[in-house]
Amino acid sequence: MNKPLIISLSGKAGSGKDTVASIIEEELSSSRFRTYSLAFADHLKYQLEELGWDGVKDTRGRAFLQELADTVKHYHGESYYATETVQEIKSFGDTPNTVFIITDTRYKYELEALREVGHVLAIYVKRDFESTLTPKQTSHSSENSISEESLDYVIENHDLAELRYSVKILLDIIGIKYLED
């Protein structure tokens, strides 16, 4: 089985990871690549929605996400959500010209799990801004486990126009548009 290309996005909450994923999808939409955006937290969010969460990642929503994730990982192991996401990637089988974009790689073990099933390009999205997280949320392991130094590339997010340009240049540098069969 051929391993797919997986673009893993890391960074603090609010740094622009979802925006970078959207730009990548937009850039690749005119190519023969199919893109699929996934998040390790997707399964967590589904669980919270079943419990009545409205999907808003405000202070309360972020606290719910962090607390439920910690509880589930305590009882089922830290790699529970990583395993779920990897299984989802594997469910696509050997699909040529497929790029998976993981929008929330926050732990080293998540990155390692992705590397077992695909060719991973690990990008850190860096943004200098005043966080809306509480001090407790800012100090949570999900905000501090992966540093930019441990990844392949850093994209700085100063404004949308510059972010678009940076993503486009990065895709050109890695030659993604030339990876087609």
Side-chain angles (χ1 to χ4, degrees):
M1 178 171 158
N2 292 324
K3 288 185 171 186
L5 175 61
I6 301 172
I7 299 176
S8 165
L9 301 174
S10 298
K12 305 282 185 192
S15 62
K17 298 179 296 292
D18 288 329
T19 304
V20 169
S22 295
I23 294 168
I24 292 169
E25 287 179 324
E26 185 180 304
E27 285 295 315
L28 296 180
S29 66
S30 62
S31 71
R32 290 176 27 209
F33 284 103
R34 285 181 299 255
T35 59
Y36 297 96
S37 283
L38 305 171
F40 290 109
D42 284 345
H43 301 281
L44 172 65
K45 290 174 186 175
Y46 300 145
Q47 291 169 331
L48 275 175
E49 286 168 359
E50 288 178 12
L51 296 172
W53 178 51
D54 61 6
V56 177
K57 289 194 279 186
D58 56 8
T59 302
R60 184 172 172 256
R62 180 78 54 188
F64 283 154
L65 287 164
Q66 289 178 343
E67 290 169 16
L68 180 60
D70 288 345
T71 300
V72 169
K73 288 191 277 185
H74 173 77
Y75 288 102
H76 298 286
E78 72 176 1
S79 63
Y80 176 80
Y81 292 111
T83 301
E84 293 291 317
T85 303
V86 163
Q87 289 304 320
E88 193 169 349
I89 291 169
K90 287 180 175 179
S91 74
F92 283 82
D94 191 4
T95 310
N97 298 323
T98 299
V99 177
F100 293 97
I101 304 166
I102 308 300
T103 60
D104 66 344
T105 306
R106 296 186 175 273
Y107 295 97
K108 292 176 185 175
Y109 61 82
E110 292 173 338
L111 196 53
E112 291 167 11
L114 294 176
R115 287 186 171 135
E116 289 179 17
V117 296
H119 301 287
V120 176
L121 173 66
I123 300 170
Y124 190 89
V125 182
K126 183 177 182 177
R127 181 177 175 204
D128 188 24
F129 70 106
E130 180 118 6
S131 176
T132 59
L133 301 181
T134 66
K136 181 180 179 184
Q137 292 167 341
T138 301
S139 65
H140 189 268
S141 63
S142 64
E143 289 298 310
N144 299 294
S145 180
I146 289 188
S147 66
E148 62 187 90
E149 296 83 22
S150 63
L151 304 179
D152 301 318
Y153 293 96
V154 175
I155 293 180
E156 297 211 17
N157 180 4
H158 300 290
D159 62 60
L160 186 57
E162 184 179 323
L163 187 62
R164 282 186 182 286
Y165 180 75
S166 296
V167 170
K168 197 172 191 173
I169 293 298
L170 179 60
L171 291 175
D172 286 344
I173 288 170
I174 63 170
I176 197 164
K177 292 188 177 181
Y178 306 105
L179 293 175
E180 298 179 36
D181 288 344

